[in-house]
Amino acid sequence: MKKLVPAIALVVASFIAIYVGAVQIDNFWAALISPGSNEILWQIRIPRVTAGLIVGASLALAGLMAQGACNNALAEPSILGTTAGASLGTVLAVLTGVVQVGSIGAIVCGALGALAATSLTFKLASLRSQLSSFALIIVGIAVSAIFTAIVGLLSAMVTRADARSISFWNFGSLALITRDNLIGITITAIIGGAIAWKISPSLDRLSLGDATAFHLGEDVPRVRLIALVALSLLAGGAVSTVGSIAFIGLAAPHIARFLYGPTHRRLIAHTAIIGALLVVVADTLSRTLAQPGELPIGLVTSLIGAPVLIALVSVKNNVWKTQ
Amino acid sequence: MITINEITIVRDGREIIYDYSEQIPAGSITAIVGPNGSGKSTLLAAIAGDIAPVKGTITIDDLHPILTSPAQLAQIRAVAIQNQSYTLGFSVQQIIEMAGLAQDVMQALELTSLVDRQVTTLSGGEAQRVSIATAIAQSTPVLLLDEPLAAQDVGSRKRIIQLLQKLAEGGVTVVVVAHSDEADLTWADKVIKQLL
C-alpha cells in the first residue's frame, strides 16, 4: 500500500490542479464529465495539467537515462548540457522562422539540439582518456553554460514574441500550453519511454562499471548511445515545449530508487509517476501562490525538489553508493 | 584451449608484454603469478578481449576475443575483475542473476546468508566473492579471475579453490591471476611466471 502513495497522490494532485485556479468553475464535476462543456476547464486547465504530467514524466525518465548511462548519481539533463542544447536547438529554429514554439518541428529541433549537446559533452569528456564521471560532470557543466549563454544572448537580441523570454528558457512555464502542443510531447514521451524500457536491463549491468558490463555481454558504447537518444527525445520534447524545469531529472529518479530499489525496469513507471507528481504540484503552486500573476515553475520545482533530495541524502541509505 | 601467439602489448607507451607465446589447455587451472606491474592482469584482460595486442594473436578455441561481439564473447568467457565496486544497491542475488542462475554458486561460495544484502554494504572480501559467483553463474567454458584469493580468509580461499577444481574437472578452462606472495600454488595445474 505504501508503495502506491505516489500514484494515489498523483491522481489527487491532478484533480486539485484542474479544480483550482484564478476562476472558480461552476458545477466542476458535471463539467468534468462533459467534454467541451466548460472552456476554461477543457481548453486551458486540462491541457495544462496533462502537459504537466507528460513533461514531468519525460524529464524524470530523462534523468533516469542520464544517471543510468553515466553510472553517476549527479547526472541529469541540465548537467550534461542536454537541456541547454534542447533550448538552443528550439530557439535557433524559432528565430530563423523554421518552426513555432510547441510545434512538432520545434520538438524535433529541440531533440536534435539535445542530442548534439549531450554527444559533445561525451565526446569532450573522453578526449584524453576513458570516460570518467568526473570529466563528464565538469565538461557537461561547461557545455551547458556555453549553450545557455548563447540562448540568453539570442533571447536578449530579438524582440519576437515566439522566441519568448530568457526566463522561459531558464525556469520554464506551462502557461501557454494548448491542446495542440500535447501531440508532440506525447509522441516523444512514448518513444523515449519505450526505449528506456527496452534498455533498462542493460542499464542495470552498466551500474557494475563498463568493464563488468562488457564481460556480461553488453555493447557498452551502443547502450550508452541508445540511452542518449532516449534522453534527448525526452528532454528535447519537454524543454522545447515548456522551457527548462529544474531538479525533476535529478530528484525524481533518486526518490524512486529510495522507495522502490535500483532495478531500472521497475523504476521506469515509478520515476515517471514521481516526476509527473512533482511538476503538477509545482505548477499548481506556481499559478496559485502569486495570483493573479504566476511564478516560474522552475523556481517552485527547485524549492520542492532540493529539500526532498537533501532529506534523502540525510537519511541513511545504501541505494546509491558514492565513492 | 587458449592459444597465445607471439603477442606484444603496449600500455601508456610501455611494453608490458613482449613477444609472448603460451598454450593454456582446456579443463585445467592455470595460475599467472608475478609481482605488481609484471603484466599478469594485462594478459588476463587481453584473453578476455578487453585490450588488443599490438602484435600477435590470442584465440579461445578458434575465436579471436578482440574480433568477437560482446554478446558472443559472454557465451565463451566470464571474468571476475579485481576490486569490483558496486554503485547501486542491488541485492547479492540480483547481481548474480544478471549473469545466470544464482542458487548453486551462492551455496558453493557460502553466500546464501548474504542473499538479500545490498551489494553496496559488502566488505571487500564479500564483494570479491560476489564477483566470482557472478562470473561462475555465467556458465562459460572459460573462466578468468583476477586475484580472486586476495581478500579472502582461509575458509573462503579453500572453498573458492575447491569450486575452481570442480569446474576444471567438468571441462572449464580456469585462468587465475595470483600475487607472487601466493606461497601454495599446488591447486594449479600450470603456473605461468615469466611474461616478458
mmCIF file of all heavy atoms in Angstrom, chain A residues 125-171:
data_model
loop_
_atom_site.group_PDB
_atom_site.id
_atom_site.type_symbol
_atom_site.label_atom_id
_atom_site.label_comp_id
_atom_site.label_asym_id
_atom_site.label_seq_id
_atom_site.Cartn_x
_atom_site.Cartn_y
_atom_site.Cartn_z
ATOM 1 N N ALA A 125 34.460 14.824 -22.951
ATOM 2 C CA ALA A 125 34.835 14.188 -21.671
ATOM 3 C C ALA A 125 35.728 12.976 -21.883
ATOM 4 O O ALA A 125 36.441 12.564 -20.964
ATOM 5 C CB ALA A 125 33.580 13.792 -20.902
ATOM 6 N N SER A 126 35.686 12.387 -23.080
ATOM 7 C CA SER A 126 36.507 11.186 -23.315
ATOM 8 C C SER A 126 37.671 11.466 -24.267
ATOM 9 O O SER A 126 38.266 10.549 -24.811
ATOM 10 C CB SER A 126 35.628 10.057 -23.859
ATOM 11 O OG SER A 126 34.920 10.494 -24.991
ATOM 12 N N LEU A 127 37.997 12.755 -24.452
ATOM 13 C CA LEU A 127 39.082 13.102 -25.382
ATOM 14 C C LEU A 127 40.439 12.584 -24.924
ATOM 15 O O LEU A 127 41.172 11.983 -25.693
ATOM 16 C CB LEU A 127 39.173 14.626 -25.526
ATOM 17 C CG LEU A 127 38.447 15.277 -26.714
ATOM 18 C CD1 LEU A 127 38.800 16.742 -26.796
ATOM 19 C CD2 LEU A 127 38.764 14.575 -28.019
ATOM 20 N N ARG A 128 40.753 12.803 -23.656
ATOM 21 C CA ARG A 128 42.102 12.496 -23.178
ATOM 22 C C ARG A 128 42.261 11.081 -22.655
ATOM 23 O O ARG A 128 43.324 10.500 -22.679
ATOM 24 C CB ARG A 128 42.522 13.498 -22.101
ATOM 25 C CG ARG A 128 42.958 14.825 -22.705
ATOM 26 C CD ARG A 128 43.385 15.791 -21.644
ATOM 27 N NE ARG A 128 44.450 15.295 -20.807
ATOM 28 C CZ ARG A 128 44.782 15.833 -19.652
ATOM 29 N NH1 ARG A 128 44.146 16.887 -19.208
ATOM 30 N NH2 ARG A 128 45.761 15.322 -18.943
ATOM 31 N N SER A 129 41.177 10.552 -22.112
ATOM 32 C CA SER A 129 41.280 9.200 -21.565
ATOM 33 C C SER A 129 39.900 8.556 -21.597
ATOM 34 O O SER A 129 38.980 9.106 -22.195
ATOM 35 C CB SER A 129 41.801 9.260 -20.125
ATOM 36 O OG SER A 129 40.931 10.060 -19.358
ATOM 37 N N GLN A 130 39.773 7.424 -20.915
ATOM 38 C CA GLN A 130 38.467 6.776 -20.853
ATOM 39 C C GLN A 130 37.471 7.669 -20.138
ATOM 40 O O GLN A 130 37.840 8.455 -19.260
ATOM 41 C CB GLN A 130 38.595 5.453 -20.094
ATOM 42 C CG GLN A 130 38.943 4.287 -21.000
ATOM 43 C CD GLN A 130 38.554 2.974 -20.355
ATOM 44 O OE1 GLN A 130 38.698 2.810 -19.160
ATOM 45 N NE2 GLN A 130 38.061 2.047 -21.149
ATOM 46 N N LEU A 131 36.211 7.527 -20.532
ATOM 47 C CA LEU A 131 35.152 8.358 -19.966
ATOM 48 C C LEU A 131 35.101 8.201 -18.437
ATOM 49 O O LEU A 131 34.985 7.103 -17.929
ATOM 50 C CB LEU A 131 33.823 7.904 -20.565
ATOM 51 C CG LEU A 131 32.629 8.823 -20.373
ATOM 52 C CD1 LEU A 131 32.810 10.096 -21.156
ATOM 53 C CD2 LEU A 131 31.361 8.113 -20.814
ATOM 54 N N SER A 132 35.226 9.319 -17.714
ATOM 55 C CA SER A 132 35.096 9.236 -16.258
ATOM 56 C C SER A 132 33.937 10.124 -15.815
ATOM 57 O O SER A 132 33.605 11.107 -16.481
ATOM 58 C CB SER A 132 36.390 9.692 -15.571
ATOM 59 O OG SER A 132 36.487 11.098 -15.606
ATOM 60 N N SER A 133 33.339 9.749 -14.695
ATOM 61 C CA SER A 133 32.206 10.511 -14.172
ATOM 62 C C SER A 133 32.603 11.959 -13.914
ATOM 63 O O SER A 133 31.862 12.888 -14.211
ATOM 64 C CB SER A 133 31.719 9.895 -12.868
ATOM 65 O OG SER A 133 31.255 8.608 -13.112
ATOM 66 N N PHE A 134 33.796 12.131 -13.363
ATOM 67 C CA PHE A 134 34.270 13.468 -13.010
ATOM 68 C C PHE A 134 34.370 14.354 -14.254
ATOM 69 O O PHE A 134 33.842 15.474 -14.289
ATOM 70 C CB PHE A 134 35.635 13.354 -12.309
ATOM 71 C CG PHE A 134 36.225 14.673 -11.900
ATOM 72 C CD1 PHE A 134 35.680 15.377 -10.837
ATOM 73 C CD2 PHE A 134 37.305 15.219 -12.579
ATOM 74 C CE1 PHE A 134 36.219 16.603 -10.453
ATOM 75 C CE2 PHE A 134 37.838 16.433 -12.200
ATOM 76 C CZ PHE A 134 37.301 17.127 -11.133
ATOM 77 N N ALA A 135 35.034 13.822 -15.291
ATOM 78 C CA ALA A 135 35.195 14.584 -16.533
ATOM 79 C C ALA A 135 33.830 14.903 -17.150
ATOM 80 O O ALA A 135 33.608 16.011 -17.646
ATOM 81 C CB ALA A 135 36.055 13.796 -17.525
ATOM 82 N N LEU A 136 32.936 13.933 -17.074
ATOM 83 C CA LEU A 136 31.601 14.100 -17.663
ATOM 84 C C LEU A 136 30.849 15.264 -17.012
ATOM 85 O O LEU A 136 30.237 16.089 -17.695
ATOM 86 C CB LEU A 136 30.833 12.797 -17.457
ATOM 87 C CG LEU A 136 29.698 12.472 -18.407
ATOM 88 C CD1 LEU A 136 30.169 12.446 -19.841
ATOM 89 C CD2 LEU A 136 29.096 11.121 -18.037
ATOM 90 N N ILE A 137 30.918 15.337 -15.702
ATOM 91 C CA ILE A 137 30.190 16.386 -14.982
ATOM 92 C C ILE A 137 30.814 17.756 -15.263
ATOM 93 O O ILE A 137 30.116 18.727 -15.554
ATOM 94 C CB ILE A 137 30.181 16.101 -13.454
ATOM 95 C CG1 ILE A 137 29.452 14.780 -13.156
ATOM 96 C CG2 ILE A 137 29.544 17.247 -12.681
ATOM 97 C CD1 ILE A 137 28.022 14.703 -13.598
ATOM 98 N N ILE A 138 32.148 17.820 -15.186
ATOM 99 C CA ILE A 138 32.834 19.105 -15.418
ATOM 100 C C ILE A 138 32.563 19.611 -16.841
ATOM 101 O O ILE A 138 32.166 20.771 -17.049
ATOM 102 C CB ILE A 138 34.368 18.957 -15.205
ATOM 103 C CG1 ILE A 138 34.670 18.569 -13.756
ATOM 104 C CG2 ILE A 138 35.113 20.230 -15.595
ATOM 105 C CD1 ILE A 138 34.361 19.609 -12.726
ATOM 106 N N VAL A 139 32.761 18.729 -17.828
ATOM 107 C CA VAL A 139 32.550 19.130 -19.226
ATOM 108 C C VAL A 139 31.069 19.464 -19.447
ATOM 109 O O VAL A 139 30.735 20.434 -20.135
ATOM 110 C CB VAL A 139 33.021 18.010 -20.191
ATOM 111 C CG1 VAL A 139 32.634 18.344 -21.622
ATOM 112 C CG2 VAL A 139 34.516 17.824 -20.094
ATOM 113 N N GLY A 140 30.178 18.664 -18.856
ATOM 114 C CA GLY A 140 28.737 18.897 -19.007
ATOM 115 C C GLY A 140 28.335 20.272 -18.497
ATOM 116 O O GLY A 140 27.560 20.992 -19.149
ATOM 117 N N ILE A 141 28.878 20.658 -17.356
ATOM 118 C CA ILE A 141 28.568 21.981 -16.794
ATOM 119 C C ILE A 141 29.069 23.076 -17.750
ATOM 120 O O ILE A 141 28.371 24.064 -18.009
ATOM 121 C CB ILE A 141 29.200 22.131 -15.383
ATOM 122 C CG1 ILE A 141 28.448 21.235 -14.386
ATOM 123 C CG2 ILE A 141 29.172 23.584 -14.911
ATOM 124 C CD1 ILE A 141 29.115 21.087 -13.037
ATOM 125 N N ALA A 142 30.271 22.864 -18.314
ATOM 126 C CA ALA A 142 30.839 23.866 -19.234
ATOM 127 C C ALA A 142 29.996 23.963 -20.514
ATOM 128 O O ALA A 142 29.659 25.071 -20.953
ATOM 129 C CB ALA A 142 32.287 23.489 -19.570
ATOM 130 N N VAL A 143 29.658 22.818 -21.100
ATOM 131 C CA VAL A 143 28.851 22.815 -22.333
ATOM 132 C C VAL A 143 27.501 23.472 -22.060
ATOM 133 O O VAL A 143 27.009 24.297 -22.847
ATOM 134 C CB VAL A 143 28.665 21.368 -22.863
ATOM 135 C CG1 VAL A 143 27.595 21.309 -23.956
ATOM 136 C CG2 VAL A 143 29.986 20.828 -23.410
ATOM 137 N N SER A 144 26.916 23.132 -20.930
ATOM 138 C CA SER A 144 25.620 23.690 -20.554
ATOM 139 C C SER A 144 25.714 25.214 -20.419
ATOM 140 O O SER A 144 24.836 25.945 -20.895
ATOM 141 C CB SER A 144 25.173 23.064 -19.222
ATOM 142 O OG SER A 144 23.856 23.411 -18.962
ATOM 143 N N ALA A 145 26.789 25.673 -19.789
ATOM 144 C CA ALA A 145 26.962 27.121 -19.590
ATOM 145 C C ALA A 145 27.076 27.842 -20.927
ATOM 146 O O ALA A 145 26.466 28.901 -21.127
ATOM 147 C CB ALA A 145 28.211 27.382 -18.730
ATOM 148 N N ILE A 146 27.842 27.258 -21.856
ATOM 149 C CA ILE A 146 28.027 27.901 -23.174
ATOM 150 C C ILE A 146 26.685 27.970 -23.919
ATOM 151 O O ILE A 146 26.282 29.022 -24.424
ATOM 152 C CB ILE A 146 29.075 27.125 -24.010
ATOM 153 C CG1 ILE A 146 30.461 27.268 -23.369
ATOM 154 C CG2 ILE A 146 29.103 27.628 -25.452
ATOM 155 C CD1 ILE A 146 31.498 26.309 -23.915
ATOM 156 N N PHE A 147 25.982 26.839 -23.968
ATOM 157 C CA PHE A 147 24.712 26.785 -24.705
ATOM 158 C C PHE A 147 23.669 27.709 -24.055
ATOM 159 O O PHE A 147 22.917 28.389 -24.739
ATOM 160 C CB PHE A 147 24.177 25.341 -24.763
ATOM 161 C CG PHE A 147 24.806 24.519 -25.863
ATOM 162 C CD1 PHE A 147 26.180 24.416 -25.978
ATOM 163 C CD2 PHE A 147 24.020 23.839 -26.780
ATOM 164 C CE1 PHE A 147 26.771 23.663 -26.987
ATOM 165 C CE2 PHE A 147 24.594 23.085 -27.800
ATOM 166 C CZ PHE A 147 25.977 22.999 -27.895
ATOM 167 N N THR A 148 23.652 27.740 -22.717
ATOM 168 C CA THR A 148 22.695 28.598 -22.011
ATOM 169 C C THR A 148 23.000 30.072 -22.305
ATOM 170 O O THR A 148 22.084 30.881 -22.515
ATOM 171 C CB THR A 148 22.767 28.352 -20.482
ATOM 172 O OG1 THR A 148 22.503 26.966 -20.254
ATOM 173 C CG2 THR A 148 21.740 29.170 -19.725
ATOM 174 N N ALA A 149 24.307 30.406 -22.336
ATOM 175 C CA ALA A 149 24.696 31.787 -22.621
ATOM 176 C C ALA A 149 24.256 32.193 -24.031
ATOM 177 O O ALA A 149 23.757 33.305 -24.238
ATOM 178 C CB ALA A 149 26.213 31.939 -22.468
ATOM 179 N N ILE A 150 24.425 31.274 -24.978
ATOM 180 C CA ILE A 150 24.017 31.598 -26.370
ATOM 181 C C ILE A 150 22.499 31.806 -26.430
ATOM 182 O O ILE A 150 22.016 32.741 -27.077
ATOM 183 C CB ILE A 150 24.464 30.480 -27.345
ATOM 184 C CG1 ILE A 150 25.991 30.388 -27.367
ATOM 185 C CG2 ILE A 150 23.955 30.765 -28.759
ATOM 186 C CD1 ILE A 150 26.544 29.192 -28.134
ATOM 187 N N VAL A 151 21.744 30.941 -25.726
ATOM 188 C CA VAL A 151 20.277 31.103 -25.691
ATOM 189 C C VAL A 151 19.916 32.461 -25.090
ATOM 190 O O VAL A 151 19.059 33.191 -25.615
ATOM 191 C CB VAL A 151 19.613 29.967 -24.873
ATOM 192 C CG1 VAL A 151 18.130 30.258 -24.642
ATOM 193 C CG2 VAL A 151 19.752 28.642 -25.592
ATOM 194 N N GLY A 152 20.610 32.831 -24.008
ATOM 195 C CA GLY A 152 20.358 34.113 -23.356
ATOM 196 C C GLY A 152 20.643 35.273 -24.288
ATOM 197 O O GLY A 152 19.856 36.217 -24.399
ATOM 198 N N LEU A 153 21.790 35.184 -24.997
ATOM 199 C CA LEU A 153 22.158 36.252 -25.941
ATOM 200 C C LEU A 153 21.116 36.377 -27.047
ATOM 201 O O LEU A 153 20.663 37.485 -27.368
ATOM 202 C CB LEU A 153 23.526 35.939 -26.567
ATOM 203 C CG LEU A 153 24.744 36.212 -25.691
ATOM 204 C CD1 LEU A 153 26.002 35.674 -26.345
ATOM 205 C CD2 LEU A 153 24.877 37.719 -25.457
ATOM 206 N N LEU A 154 20.727 35.237 -27.619
ATOM 207 C CA LEU A 154 19.743 35.267 -28.706
ATOM 208 C C LEU A 154 18.408 35.835 -28.223
ATOM 209 O O LEU A 154 17.789 36.651 -28.893
ATOM 210 C CB LEU A 154 19.541 33.847 -29.270
ATOM 211 C CG LEU A 154 20.707 33.260 -30.068
ATOM 212 C CD1 LEU A 154 20.450 31.789 -30.408
ATOM 213 C CD2 LEU A 154 20.919 34.057 -31.353
ATOM 214 N N SER A 155 17.989 35.389 -27.023
ATOM 215 C CA SER A 155 16.707 35.855 -26.486
ATOM 216 C C SER A 155 16.736 37.364 -26.213
ATOM 217 O O SER A 155 15.729 38.052 -26.379
ATOM 218 C CB SER A 155 16.362 35.116 -25.196
ATOM 219 O OG SER A 155 16.299 33.745 -25.438
ATOM 220 N N ALA A 156 17.912 37.844 -25.780
ATOM 221 C CA ALA A 156 18.021 39.266 -25.463
ATOM 222 C C ALA A 156 18.101 40.131 -26.717
ATOM 223 O O ALA A 156 17.710 41.295 -26.710
ATOM 224 C CB ALA A 156 19.262 39.503 -24.601
ATOM 225 N N MET A 157 18.607 39.547 -27.807
ATOM 226 C CA MET A 157 18.838 40.330 -29.023
ATOM 227 C C MET A 157 17.592 40.478 -29.893
ATOM 228 O O MET A 157 17.517 41.377 -30.713
ATOM 229 C CB MET A 157 19.959 39.687 -29.849
ATOM 230 C CG MET A 157 21.354 39.991 -29.298
ATOM 231 S SD MET A 157 22.606 38.843 -29.866
ATOM 232 C CE MET A 157 22.507 39.031 -31.615
ATOM 233 N N VAL A 158 16.649 39.562 -29.727
ATOM 234 C CA VAL A 158 15.482 39.630 -30.621
ATOM 235 C C VAL A 158 14.251 40.077 -29.847
ATOM 236 O O VAL A 158 14.186 39.970 -28.620
ATOM 237 C CB VAL A 158 15.198 38.255 -31.282
ATOM 238 C CG1 VAL A 158 16.340 37.863 -32.170
ATOM 239 C CG2 VAL A 158 14.872 37.221 -30.245
ATOM 240 N N THR A 159 13.306 40.560 -30.594
ATOM 241 C CA THR A 159 12.086 41.049 -29.945
ATOM 242 C C THR A 159 10.873 40.184 -30.289
ATOM 243 O O THR A 159 9.774 40.452 -29.842
ATOM 244 C CB THR A 159 11.785 42.495 -30.392
ATOM 245 O OG1 THR A 159 11.816 42.527 -31.820
ATOM 246 C CG2 THR A 159 12.803 43.457 -29.817
ATOM 247 N N ARG A 160 11.099 39.143 -31.063
ATOM 248 C CA ARG A 160 9.955 38.326 -31.474
ATOM 249 C C ARG A 160 9.301 37.652 -30.267
ATOM 250 O O ARG A 160 9.969 37.080 -29.404
ATOM 251 C CB ARG A 160 10.415 37.248 -32.451
ATOM 252 C CG ARG A 160 10.643 37.802 -33.845
ATOM 253 C CD ARG A 160 11.070 36.728 -34.785
ATOM 254 N NE ARG A 160 10.170 35.571 -34.733
ATOM 255 C CZ ARG A 160 10.241 34.554 -35.571
ATOM 256 N NH1 ARG A 160 11.152 34.553 -36.522
ATOM 257 N NH2 ARG A 160 9.423 33.538 -35.479
ATOM 258 N N ALA A 161 8.004 37.692 -30.253
ATOM 259 C CA ALA A 161 7.279 37.150 -29.101
ATOM 260 C C ALA A 161 7.451 35.647 -28.983
ATOM 261 O O ALA A 161 7.552 35.101 -27.888
ATOM 262 C CB ALA A 161 5.795 37.491 -29.230
ATOM 263 N N ASP A 162 7.515 34.948 -30.159
ATOM 264 C CA ASP A 162 7.575 33.484 -30.068
ATOM 265 C C ASP A 162 8.950 32.959 -29.664
ATOM 266 O O ASP A 162 9.131 31.776 -29.454
ATOM 267 C CB ASP A 162 7.079 32.823 -31.369
ATOM 268 C CG ASP A 162 7.847 33.312 -32.588
ATOM 269 O OD1 ASP A 162 8.752 34.143 -32.395
ATOM 270 O OD2 ASP A 162 7.530 32.862 -33.697
ATOM 271 N N ALA A 163 9.949 33.842 -29.594
ATOM 272 C CA ALA A 163 11.231 33.401 -29.030
ATOM 273 C C ALA A 163 11.137 33.366 -27.511
ATOM 274 O O ALA A 163 11.962 32.778 -26.830
ATOM 275 C CB ALA A 163 12.343 34.343 -29.451
ATOM 276 N N ARG A 164 10.098 34.003 -27.003
ATOM 277 C CA ARG A 164 9.814 34.088 -25.563
ATOM 278 C C ARG A 164 10.999 34.695 -24.800
ATOM 279 O O ARG A 164 11.955 35.197 -25.373
ATOM 280 C CB ARG A 164 9.406 32.731 -25.010
ATOM 281 C CG ARG A 164 8.234 32.149 -25.783
ATOM 282 C CD ARG A 164 7.459 31.197 -24.947
ATOM 283 N NE ARG A 164 6.504 30.488 -25.789
ATOM 284 C CZ ARG A 164 5.807 29.453 -25.402
ATOM 285 N NH1 ARG A 164 5.954 28.977 -24.187
ATOM 286 N NH2 ARG A 164 4.950 28.880 -26.206
ATOM 287 N N SER A 165 10.945 34.610 -23.505
ATOM 288 C CA SER A 165 11.928 35.353 -22.709
ATOM 289 C C SER A 165 13.027 34.437 -22.186
ATOM 290 O O SER A 165 12.921 33.216 -22.222
ATOM 291 C CB SER A 165 11.221 35.989 -21.525
ATOM 292 O OG SER A 165 10.746 34.959 -20.688
ATOM 293 N N ILE A 166 14.085 35.048 -21.692
ATOM 294 C CA ILE A 166 15.164 34.287 -21.062
ATOM 295 C C ILE A 166 14.599 33.494 -19.879
ATOM 296 O O ILE A 166 14.968 32.355 -19.638
ATOM 297 C CB ILE A 166 16.280 35.248 -20.587
ATOM 298 C CG1 ILE A 166 16.930 35.906 -21.802
ATOM 299 C CG2 ILE A 166 17.326 34.514 -19.769
ATOM 300 C CD1 ILE A 166 17.859 37.038 -21.471
ATOM 301 N N SER A 167 13.657 34.118 -19.192
ATOM 302 C CA SER A 167 13.043 33.467 -18.022
ATOM 303 C C SER A 167 12.377 32.161 -18.425
ATOM 304 O O SER A 167 12.473 31.155 -17.729
ATOM 305 C CB SER A 167 12.022 34.416 -17.382
ATOM 306 O OG SER A 167 11.223 33.719 -16.480
ATOM 307 N N PHE A 168 11.698 32.144 -19.598
ATOM 308 C CA PHE A 168 11.021 30.934 -20.056
ATOM 309 C C PHE A 168 12.027 29.798 -20.224
ATOM 310 O O PHE A 168 11.816 28.677 -19.768
ATOM 311 C CB PHE A 168 10.298 31.211 -21.377
ATOM 312 C CG PHE A 168 9.689 29.980 -22.006
ATOM 313 C CD1 PHE A 168 8.464 29.498 -21.585
ATOM 314 C CD2 PHE A 168 10.355 29.300 -23.017
ATOM 315 C CE1 PHE A 168 7.905 28.362 -22.161
ATOM 316 C CE2 PHE A 168 9.800 28.165 -23.602
ATOM 317 C CZ PHE A 168 8.575 27.696 -23.172
ATOM 318 N N TRP A 169 13.170 30.083 -20.895
ATOM 319 C CA TRP A 169 14.147 29.019 -21.153
ATOM 320 C C TRP A 169 14.904 28.612 -19.899
ATOM 321 O O TRP A 169 15.375 27.495 -19.792
ATOM 322 C CB TRP A 169 15.115 29.461 -22.268
ATOM 323 C CG TRP A 169 14.394 29.598 -23.571
ATOM 324 C CD1 TRP A 169 14.139 30.759 -24.252
ATOM 325 C CD2 TRP A 169 13.770 28.566 -24.333
ATOM 326 N NE1 TRP A 169 13.403 30.496 -25.377
ATOM 327 C CE2 TRP A 169 13.164 29.153 -25.458
ATOM 328 C CE3 TRP A 169 13.645 27.180 -24.168
ATOM 329 C CZ2 TRP A 169 12.463 28.428 -26.413
ATOM 330 C CZ3 TRP A 169 12.944 26.456 -25.124
ATOM 331 C CH2 TRP A 169 12.368 27.071 -26.223
ATOM 332 N N ASN A 170 15.028 29.544 -18.934
ATOM 333 C CA ASN A 170 15.768 29.205 -17.711
ATOM 334 C C ASN A 170 14.906 28.549 -16.645
ATOM 335 O O ASN A 170 15.374 27.710 -15.885
ATOM 336 C CB ASN A 170 16.411 30.468 -17.109
ATOM 337 C CG ASN A 170 17.639 30.883 -17.893
ATOM 338 O OD1 ASN A 170 18.182 30.100 -18.650
ATOM 339 N ND2 ASN A 170 18.043 32.118 -17.726
ATOM 340 N N PHE A 171 13.638 28.927 -16.570
ATOM 341 C CA PHE A 171 12.809 28.430 -15.471
ATOM 342 C C PHE A 171 11.547 27.696 -15.929
ATOM 343 O O PHE A 171 10.847 27.118 -15.128
ATOM 344 C CB PHE A 171 12.405 29.581 -14.540
ATOM 345 C CG PHE A 171 13.566 30.236 -13.878
ATOM 346 C CD1 PHE A 171 13.959 31.507 -14.231
ATOM 347 C CD2 PHE A 171 14.293 29.565 -12.910
ATOM 348 C CE1 PHE A 171 15.047 32.114 -13.630
ATOM 349 C CE2 PHE A 171 15.378 30.157 -12.308
ATOM 350 C CZ PHE A 171 15.767 31.448 -12.663
#
